[in-house]
Amino acid sequence: MAEHDYIYKFDAAQYDLMISKQPEVGSVIREIRSFAGLDVIDVGAGTGRLTTVMAPEAKTIVALDASEAMLQITSSKLCRLELTNWRIVQSDYVSMPLEDDSADLIVAGWSLCYIANSNCQKSCWEEKLQQVMEELRRVVRPGGTIIIMETMGTGTEVPSPPTFLSAYYEQLVEKYGFFHKWIRLDYTFESTEQAERLARWFFGDATADEILRKQIKQVPECAGIWWLNLPV
Ligand SMILES: C[S@@+](CC[C@H](N)C(=O)[O-])C[C@H]1O[C@@H](n2cnc3c(N)ncnc32)[C@H](O)[C@@H]1O
């Protein structure tokens, strides 16, 4: 967690390079809810993987993230697209400076996991998750949709989520009523050397050593998708 904090503060460009090696996820979102003409909020938007795909069709989009460096990359991508329907908000997602009932669709890609990935004990992250869920419900309108994406395992062809995230994933379904499915979002790196270097940097030695041993540049990745449609 501490290392990822450092990455989001000082190494945003390298993070953006790494995720550029995964397939685009617009169609995954569209299958659950078309975002054409909607007011959208991307929570933990990072370097804009989801924001930049949705912005051209959305009515408006807010990219919210705690990291200024990550948001700067999102911002420059949106400027290059010559769009004017977007806004960047630097904030913690536990308490968002956004109005009640201000969005039709909230997406949160690989960002809420940091609640459970913190150093606090189970009761502490459960409380924080509850706060975030209340915050998401506050800003989404009746009839709106919340979509969450998280890792179900890197370097594995079938879901094998990190143990410390299992209880959080269970709560999304059992306590908060989300539907769930999983998909493959494999990385296709330019070379084994690049795959190994970026995996060591972000995922750690075990994943990187496996890439070296297998001499692969296509690294399997499983992603979990959770979604909740709110009553009108
Ligand atoms: C793995 S990146 C995901 C970025 C982007 N959604 C994507 O799909 O590539 C996680 C992001 O969550 C942000 N983040 C982590 N904890 C946060 C918090 N408490 N409030 C707001 N953003 C947070 C980080 O700054 C980082 O940009």
Side-chain angles (χ1 to χ4, degrees), residues 26 29-30 33-38 40 53-55 57-59 105:
I29 298 170
R30 241 180 243 107
R33 179 97 194 232
S34 162
F35 39 87
L38 300 190
V40 179
V53 166
M54 303 175 79
E57 289 176 46
K59 181 178 171 202
L105 173 60

Side-chain angles (χ1 to χ4, degrees), residues 154-155 192-216 219:
T154 306
T192 300
E193 184 280 328
Q194 185 188 50
E196 187 253 336
R197 181 172 57 80
L198 290 174
R200 197 172 299 285
W201 168 76
F202 195 79
F203 299 110
D205 289 339
T207 308
D209 290 346
E210 195 62 5
I211 289 167
L212 263 189
R213 193 183 64 77
K214 292 182 177 159
Q215 283 294 299
I216 49 172
V219 178

Side-chain angles (χ1 to χ4, degrees), residues 13-179:
Q14 181 136 265
Y15 174 82
D16 195 50
L17 170 69
M18 185 184 75
I19 56 151
S20 73
K21 306 304 176 192
Q22 287 183 283
E24 195 242 74
V25 289
S27 57
V28 178
I29 298 170
R30 241 180 243 107
E31 262 178 40
I32 296 168
R33 179 97 194 232
S34 162
F35 39 87
L38 300 190
D39 293 315
V40 179
I41 300 170
D42 184 359
V43 172
T47 57
R49 180 204 318 234
L50 307 181
T51 302
T52 52
V53 166
M54 303 175 79
E57 289 176 46
K59 181 178 171 202
T60 65
I61 189 156
V62 174
L64 179 141
D65 200 284
S67 161
E68 187 185 357
M70 298 290 270
L71 287 174
Q72 265 171 10
I73 293 183
T74 300
S75 181
S76 44
K77 287 181 184 171
L78 291 165
C79 286
R80 278 201 298 277
L81 289 172
E82 298 186 353
L83 296 168
T84 54
N85 61 338
W86 55 275
R87 191 156 68 90
I88 295 294
V89 175
Q90 189 185 355
S91 165
D92 194 312
Y93 47 54
V94 174
S95 173
M96 302 189 284
L98 301 173
E99 286 186 16
D100 295 2
D101 297 336
S102 55
D104 306 297
L105 173 60
I106 295 181
V107 291
W110 298 272
S111 61
L112 301 189
C113 56
Y114 289 96
I115 299 169
N117 194 11
S118 63
N119 288 328
C120 62
Q121 299 299 312
K122 188 167 186 272
S123 59
C124 161
W125 72 251
E126 277 183 323
E127 202 177 297
K128 202 166 167 191
L129 180 61
Q130 170 100 32
Q131 273 177 298
V132 173
M133 286 296 150
E134 283 168 12
E135 201 48 359
L136 300 181
R137 298 286 294 252
R138 178 182 70 75
V139 295
V140 78
R141 295 181 183 125
T145 302
I146 302 170
I147 301 175
I148 298 171
M149 299 181 190
E150 303 287 6
T151 185
M152 297 283 284
T154 306
T156 169
E157 294 182 359
V158 290
S160 177
T163 318
F164 65 89
L165 291 175
S166 302
Y168 154 52
Y169 293 169
E170 266 169 40
Q171 288 209 354
L172 287 179
V173 175
E174 277 154 33
K175 181 167 177 188
Y176 296 103
F178 281 75
F179 292 96

